[in-house]
Every structure is written in structure tokens, then in C-alpha cells.
Amino acid sequence: MRPDILNLLFAEVTVLKGIGPGLAKPLERLGLRRVVDVLFHLPTGWIDRVARDELDMADAGRTIVITLTAQDYRSSAGRGPTRVHAADARGNIVSLVYFGGHSGWAKKLAPIGEPRRVSGRLEMYGQELQIVHPDYVLPLDEAGDQPEREAIYPLSEGLTSRRVGQMAAHALERVPDLPEWIEPGLLAKRGWPGWREALTRVHADPSDMVARERLAYDEIFANQLALTLVRQSSRARRGRALTGDGRLRGALQLPYDLTGAQTRTVREIEGDLAQAQPMLRLLQGDVGSGKTLVATMALLLAVEAGAQGALIAPTEILARQHYETLRRMLAGVPVEVAILTGRDKGKVREATLMGLASGAIDILIGTHAIFQEAVTYKDLAFVVVDEQHRFGVAQRMMLQAKAKAAPHLLAMTATPIPRTLTLANYGEMDVSQIDEMPPGRQPIETRVISEDRLAEMVDALARHLSDGGQAYWVCPLVEESEKSDLAAAEARAETLRARFGDRVGLVHGRMKGPEKDAVMEAFAAGRTGVLVATTVIEVGVDVPNATLIVIEAADRFGLAQLHQLRGRVGRGSGRSICLLIRGNALSETSRARLALMRETNDGFRIAEEDLRLRGSGELLGTKQSGEAAFRIATPEMLNDLLPVATDDARLLIDRDGGLSADRGQAARTALYLFERDAGVALLRSG
């Protein structure tokens, strides 16, 4: 239960002065729903305002604060600019310029003859001084003492930095003095202020890196402490040892040998399963490295030991892909595999539930539907979570609670994770890495092409189809809304159908399950040659005959997502090509991303570069995942502070009395403050 001292901070944001329904939408867009969200919405920059008594051409290019009095107004015809000619105390003139037909507004802000405190960027326009759209124009009795340094905040439409700064000031008034959770020696060594003081300092002066580093450390420490507690609890729980006799794995008819990396990983998992202490292992492997086979071997071992296994995937497409893959792989092996998703209803669902409860079903594949209360297992002992970064700790625990004893857990991800973030997001787990591709897999040839050559791409697609090939055509996320994504895909499908007719299929996230399955099945069976898609195909689509992928507006995607999409091809032994269509106005970051995609197929190298270019908050889709993104800590801070925070969290648990001692009680407050408490209630730690 959250400590009472934090209740003021977790109140709705509307308790702050001046926040009504009109601000609800822009605040919601920024994720500012509670007081604590405003506190942690830190400024990203600042403006230094220079106070002046009189205008001076030497200040052109600087942001000034000065008292001015309007002399007259000059409005252009139509929607031309409105100019307010205003004078300083010595009679020097400056034009306050407003574009967009705001003459009435400008006159209201600066009535003729009434002095106003004005701030904005002073510029030269020919031989005249002007301030375009001043940051503020205030009556003298409202201006007060304006700070020379003003914070700049991330904004959405309908908000200004001044308004967010005012909200932050009101939120800071509610901040209690919290007990110190940082180890005293570390606090003194780093010269960090207390938590409350650090917050106040950063909002007042965004350049205060000592205070910002303190807040970043708090966030990282809370994260590492939560993971340490999860690991401690998992290690303390009694599970059951699983030892197989090899009869089912030996019955697999594989047309190839396992790679050295797969063999090593299987041995690591076997060693874990042989212990009564539940396994908690993360399996990393690039697209096509053979993680599914490793997971299948582990599931078969559990069945050999007389238990049931479950595999959970984040999407319907991926769950059904796994189901079909396992059915093919286990053909002739005496194992009953079933699938359960939110779409399964009626008698089919009832039969599956009965089979699970009776033990007739050995392995269940499914989406989050397998968490549901009605789903009971006879003897669940092993759980595989695929695309791990899309599930949170609490979701994993819900599935684990389905077992009589703590089940063994194997989490998999095809999205290579940088070492820093592996420790930050999966510090409670042991890690296996498949760093070797199966023999015969050819690297995917990647080319970057200007959008001006789109017609050439369509001609190349025609040649590819005439040679019996199949292709994906991925459409961009135009804005952060599925509707825009869908519109782009529908428009592209129409233009391609005009040339290729019904050989073009379309799949997107808003299609109903059966409709989506029908399109995917037609493509997998070769009845359609081109699959136009949104990023719904990022994971879980396996069509070896598809050896060409075209990604429109590739410069709008992050590296990790581009790498995942590229992994839809190159799944057979034939040569595969990825065409990245770019816009003409590329940022340096976009240029660097595309150059790296062209240069390498190594997902682990791409992940490290993605962290450097984008930062941890956006990496690997974590903003859309169940894992908590870091709101304060930057990648650089993570590299510096993560090892320190990890050691400090372990020190607290091992030496300083855990959560029951004085520092532990303070640390418990930090867990709730930074919302790393999801597992705490289940852990019963301290």
C-alpha cells in the first residue's frame, strides 16, 4: 500500500491551482494526469532573459525583458502581420509583430499609452528593431520579478512553457520532505542535494546537472531495487525440478543440427530446470537465430517431466504463428498443443479450457487471454514469454500465479537489447544470448533509395513478382495515430492494385481477427504476391518465399523497428533485399540510422547504436511496452549510474537490513514514488 506521505503527490492534476477542463486534453497528451507527473516533467532547456531599461541594437539576437508603451497599431490587409509600435522609457521604438490576423488580440495585450512588461527575442528588420510574437506582454502589476533564466518544457498544443512552469511551481508546494534513501557515503561523495531540493533546483534552473543527476539516480535506484527484490523473491520461492528423459526431444525430426549457440543455450536452460529454484532467464537472439526451437526443446522437457508448458505472445498474429510453427515441428511427436486467444469463443474455448484443466493439453500457446481467471491448468510448471519487452513484471507474475508451485520462466526477445538496458530492465534475470545464425541464412542486402524513385520501385516489384517472388510493402506511421497509419496503407494498396490487381493483399491492426488471418493465409500460401501492411507485421510473420521488403518513409522509423521489419525477409535460403525509401529532408540522426542499416545486419550492434541515437525512453518500443521507461535518466546517466545503483540496491538488501530497516523504509517510499512497486505487494519482501 502506498505510504500516506505520497498521497498529495498522486492526487489528480486538477487539484493544482488554475487547472480546469480546458487544460485536461493538452495535459493528457503529455501524460500529465497526476501531481507527480508534473513534478517529473522536467524542463529540457532554458531561455536566458536579459533585463534592459532601454532598447539597444547591440542586443539583437538576445531575449530581453523591457518595459514598453504602445504608440500605435498598423495592420496589413487580409491575414498579414499586425505591428504594435511601442516605445521604451527614452522613446526608442520597437515593433511587436503578430502574424495570422491577431490585430484584436494585439490591441488587447498592449493598449495605447499603458506601459507593459514585454519579453521576447529582439531582432533587426532592415534598420528597425522588432520582436516577433513576444513570449509575454504583461501589465506591470502582474509582471512581478521575472527570473532571468526561464525553463523550457516539452509541450503539446494549448500549453506554454510559462504555464507548465506555473503548474510545476504549484506542484512543488505540495512536495513533502521525504526520508533519505541514498546511502550516506554515496550522497556525500557525489555532493547531491536532498530529493525535494533537487526537484526545486531543476525546475528553477534546468542547467543544474548535479540536481538532475540526483533525480536520475533516484529513478535508477528504485528500478534496480525492484528488480533485486523480484530476483530475491523468485530465488526464495520453492518451485519444482524438471528432468526430462529425452523421449520427446529425441522424436523431433529436424532437417538440420542445432547451432553451437542453440546447443549452449539449451544446456543452460536444462541446468536451470533441474533445480527446484524457479528459473528466471532472458533469451536474446536476433531475428532468425532460432529462439523458437530452443523454447520448443525446453517445453518438451517440461512435458517429459509430466508437467504442462505455456507460451504467451503479445499479438494474435504472433500467437497463431507460433501455434502453426509448433504444430509443424511436433508433427509425429505425441504432444498435444492448443491455442487460446481473445477471439476463441464458445465450444472451441470450452474444449481448450477443459483440456488444460484435465491435463489432456500439454502445451498452450496464447495471447494475454491465458492470464484470465477462467483459465486453469492441471500442472503448469514452465512458461515462455515471447517478445518480452512488451510485457511488464506484473503481467509475468499473473501467469506464474496459475501454477501450484512457482513455475520456471523463460523470457524471449528478438529485439537485441544493449547491455545497459538489459541490466536496467531485466536485472532480475539470468541472460542467454544466441549470437550465431543457422547455416545457410544469407545476410539481407539493404539499399536506401530516394522517394523520388518510387515509380522505379514499383517496376522492380513487378519484375520480382514475374519471377515468382513475394514481397512486403510497409507503410509509414504518418502521425502518432493508427488512423493515419491505416490511411497510408490503404492508399498504397489501391495504387498497387491498379497495376497488380488481386495479387495485392492488405493487413493492418484494425482488421478483425478472421479477416486478418485470411489475408495472412493467402499470402503464406502464395495466392497473393504483395502484402501491403502497417507495422503490424513487425513480428510473427514467417513466409520464406517473401524475399523483398519495401519500407516507405524509412527515415521516420527507429533503428530497432527497421531491423525488426527487415527480419520479415531472409527467412529462407534465397537472396533477400530490403529497400528503404527515404524522404529528401533528412536529419543527421535519420541519415546515420539509414547508413547503419545499409552497413550491417547485426541486431546487437544496431541496438547499441539505437540507444546512442535515440535515448532509452524510445528504444525498442519501450514507450508502448509493459516495462517502465525512464522519465528522468538519459542514456549517458544510465551508463554512469546504473552500476552504482545496482550495487547500492544489493547493499541495502544484503547488509543494511532490507526494507525493514530505516533506510529500507525510505527506499520503500522511493519504490512507490517512482512506481516500481508493481511486484512489491506480491513479493512480501520486508
Side-chain angles (χ1 to χ4, degrees):
M1 187 174 176
R2 182 188 302 134
D4 290 342
I5 196 171
L6 297 179
N7 287 344
L8 285 173
L9 303 184
F10 282 85
E12 294 294 315
V13 73
T14 48
V15 303
L16 298 178
K17 190 163 66 176
I19 298 182
L23 282 176
K25 281 191 177 178
L27 291 174
E28 179 71 26
R29 284 195 291 270
L30 289 172
L32 307 184
R33 302 174 186 88
R34 304 155 306 175
V35 174
V36 70
D37 299 325
V38 175
L39 290 171
F40 290 153
H41 190 70
L42 299 184
T44 52
W46 62 88
I47 295 175
D48 285 324
R49 301 187 187 279
V50 183
R52 291 289 187 249
D53 294 323
E54 63 179 287
L55 295 161
D56 188 335
M57 289 184 178
D59 284 327
R62 304 180 78 173
T63 300
I64 66 168
V65 181
I66 192 167
T67 300
L68 300 172
T69 305
Q71 306 286 305
D72 64 66
Y73 312 117
R74 296 184 188 175
S75 298
S76 304
R79 294 181 61 81
T82 296
R83 294 180 178 273
V84 180
H85 286 185
D88 65 14
R90 291 180 175 266
N92 300 309
I93 299 296
V94 63
S95 292
L96 310 182
V97 185
Y98 294 89
F99 290 95
H102 291 306
S103 60
W105 183 38
K107 292 173 184 177
K108 186 176 180 181
L109 280 174
I112 289 177
E114 296 185 20
R116 291 287 187 266
R117 197 68 173 162
V118 178
S119 180
R121 183 180 172 86
L122 189 68
E123 299 173 343
M124 292 295 299
Y125 182 68
Q127 295 301 307
E128 296 180 356
L129 290 170
Q130 68 175 19
I131 298 175
V132 177
H133 283 278
D135 297 330
Y136 60 81
V137 178
L138 298 171
L140 300 188
D141 60 349
E142 294 180 20
D145 294 326
Q146 299 296 322
E148 289 188 4
R149 176 161 288 179
E150 184 173 324
I152 300 299
Y153 291 88
L155 302 173
S156 71
E157 187 178 354
L159 286 171
T160 64
S161 273
R162 278 178 58 79
R163 188 71 190 88
V164 176
Q166 289 167 352
M167 280 188 265
H170 295 149
L172 285 165
E173 293 171 2
R174 301 173 66 90
V175 174
D177 284 315
L178 298 179
E180 184 56 73
W181 48 75
I182 296 180
E183 196 275 323
L186 176 61
L187 196 68
K189 179 182 176 183
R190 293 277 182 162
W192 286 331
W195 176 75
R196 189 175 191 272
E197 182 188 342
L199 259 184
T200 304
R201 279 169 49 172
V202 170
H203 281 287
D205 181 1
S207 67
D208 189 335
M209 293 310 296
V210 173
R212 194 179 285 267
E213 186 182 77
R214 152 78 209 229
L215 297 176
Y217 181 81
D218 293 333
E219 182 178 39
I220 297 168
F221 172 70
N223 189 76
Q224 297 312 102
L225 178 58
L227 293 176
T228 301
L229 289 169
V230 170
R231 186 181 182 90
Q232 181 194 53
S233 174
S234 296
R235 296 295 185 258
R237 294 167 74 193
R238 292 295 296 172
R240 65 187 267 204
L242 298 177
T243 306
D245 56 15
R247 60 190 167 82
L248 298 178
R249 286 168 289 167
L252 277 176
Q253 299 293 314
L254 298 176
Y256 44 77
D257 293 327
L258 270 66
T259 64
Q262 285 174 314
T263 302
R264 181 188 69 240
T265 302
V266 168
R267 285 198 190 119
E268 289 170 349
I269 293 169
E270 284 178 343
D272 285 352
L273 295 182
Q275 310 300 316
Q277 190 180 74
M279 176 176 75
L280 205 56
R281 183 169 290 275
L282 174 68
L283 174 58
Q284 287 197 73
D286 213 339
V287 175
S289 61
K291 296 180 302 302
T292 303
L293 176 56
V294 169
T296 303
M297 300 286 276
L299 285 164
L300 289 177
L301 187 154
V303 178
E304 289 170 0
Q308 291 171 301
L311 189 156
I312 180 169
T315 66
E316 183 107 18
I317 286 179
L318 186 52
R320 294 194 178 277
Q321 184 77 52
H322 277 309
Y323 177 60
E324 294 302 328
T325 299
L326 259 69
R327 281 214 316 173
R328 285 197 306 271
M329 199 182 293
L330 300 178
V333 179
V335 173
E336 187 65 33
V337 181
I339 185 167
L340 183 66
T341 70
R343 195 200 318 159
D344 296 309
K345 310 288 182 191
K347 291 182 179 178
V348 172
R349 176 181 167 81
E350 287 303 316
T352 302
L353 294 180
M354 288 174 63
L356 280 176
S358 69
I361 291 173
D362 300 303
I363 298 172
L364 180 68
I365 316 291
T367 58
H368 64 279
I370 69 178
F371 289 139
Q372 293 169 353
E373 193 174 335
V375 182
T376 58
Y377 300 78
K378 181 181 181 184
D379 188 11
L380 178 65
F382 180 62
V383 176
V384 181
V385 179
D386 195 18
E387 289 307 314
Q388 161 62 24
H389 64 277
R390 302 192 182 201
F391 294 94
V393 172
Q395 288 173 296
R396 295 203 300 265
M397 288 184 169
M398 285 170 65
L399 186 56
Q400 288 177 289
K402 295 286 184 186
K404 295 171 185 172
H408 298 277
L409 176 71
L410 178 67
M412 302 196 302
T413 178
T415 311
I417 306 169
R419 289 180 297 277
T420 300
L421 290 192
T422 300
L423 184 58
N425 281 340
Y426 308 110
E428 85 277 26
M429 294 184 169
D430 297 311
V431 179
S432 292
Q433 186 169 305
I434 303 181
D435 51 8
E436 179 184 357
M437 298 298 278
R441 291 294 292 266
Q442 294 188 29
I444 302 162
E445 182 183 340
T446 303
R447 304 173 192 167
V448 180
I449 297 164
S450 166
E451 63 186 3
D452 297 336
R453 298 172 60 193
L454 193 62
E456 293 178 42
M457 297 304 96
V458 178
D459 290 340
L461 176 61
R463 292 192 295 274
H464 182 75
L465 293 176
S466 66
D467 290 339
Q470 289 175 275
Y472 300 99
W473 192 297
V474 181
C475 292
L477 185 63
V478 181
E479 299 166 4
E480 289 194 6
S481 73
E482 195 173 11
K483 184 179 285 188
S484 302
D485 196 3
L486 172 56
E490 287 178 329
R492 178 58 60 209
E494 281 305 306
T495 58
L496 292 178
R497 279 175 183 146
R499 178 157 180 181
F500 303 115
D502 58 8
R503 297 171 72 190
V504 178
L506 170 65
V507 67
H508 53 79
R510 296 178 70 178
M511 292 169 72
K512 289 198 166 108
E515 185 185 4
K516 194 186 299 180
D517 286 348
V519 175
M520 299 300 300
E521 195 275 326
F523 186 65
R527 294 195 300 276
T528 53
V530 185
L531 183 63
V532 178
T534 61
T535 54
V536 72
I537 65 155
E538 184 182 341
V539 293
V541 181
D542 187 1
V543 181
N545 190 49
T547 54
L548 171 66
I549 184 167
V550 180
I551 305 175
E552 278 195 69
D555 47 298
R556 296 179 190 166
F557 293 101
L559 268 173
Q561 194 169 39
L562 284 175
H563 182 62
Q564 283 292 305
L565 289 167
R566 177 170 62 180
R568 295 313 97 212
V569 297
R571 306 183 79 82
S573 57
R575 172 172 169 258
S576 291
I577 296 174
C578 173
L579 301 179
L580 303 176
I581 302 179
R582 62 164 176 82
N584 291 321
L586 286 183
S587 67
E588 283 304 311
T589 299
S590 295
R591 200 177 297 279
R593 279 189 197 129
L594 297 179
L596 188 68
M597 286 293 295
R598 192 172 53 223
E599 181 185 326
T600 184
N601 280 272
D602 183 346
F604 290 97
R605 182 183 165 197
I606 285 170
E608 294 289 347
E609 191 67 9
D610 206 15
L611 177 61
R612 188 183 71 79
L613 289 173
R614 299 180 68 184
S616 63
E618 293 184 40
L619 188 75
L620 310 179
T622 51
K623 280 186 173 176
Q624 288 75 42
S625 77
E627 300 297 344
F630 289 95
R631 293 192 282 187
I632 300 171
T634 64
E636 294 75 20
M637 289 172 170
L638 274 170
N639 278 324
D640 177 33
L641 299 174
L642 193 67
V644 182
T646 303
D647 289 344
D648 194 19
R650 289 173 180 162
L651 182 71
L652 173 64
I653 298 302
D654 297 339
R655 191 200 72 183
D656 292 353
L659 295 189
S660 57
D662 287 345
R663 185 160 89 95
Q665 288 295 321
R668 181 189 287 274
T669 301
L671 287 171
Y672 282 93
L673 176 65
F674 289 95
E675 298 182 271
R676 296 309 200 265
D677 57 293
V680 174
L682 296 170
L683 295 173
R684 302 285 187 263
S685 299

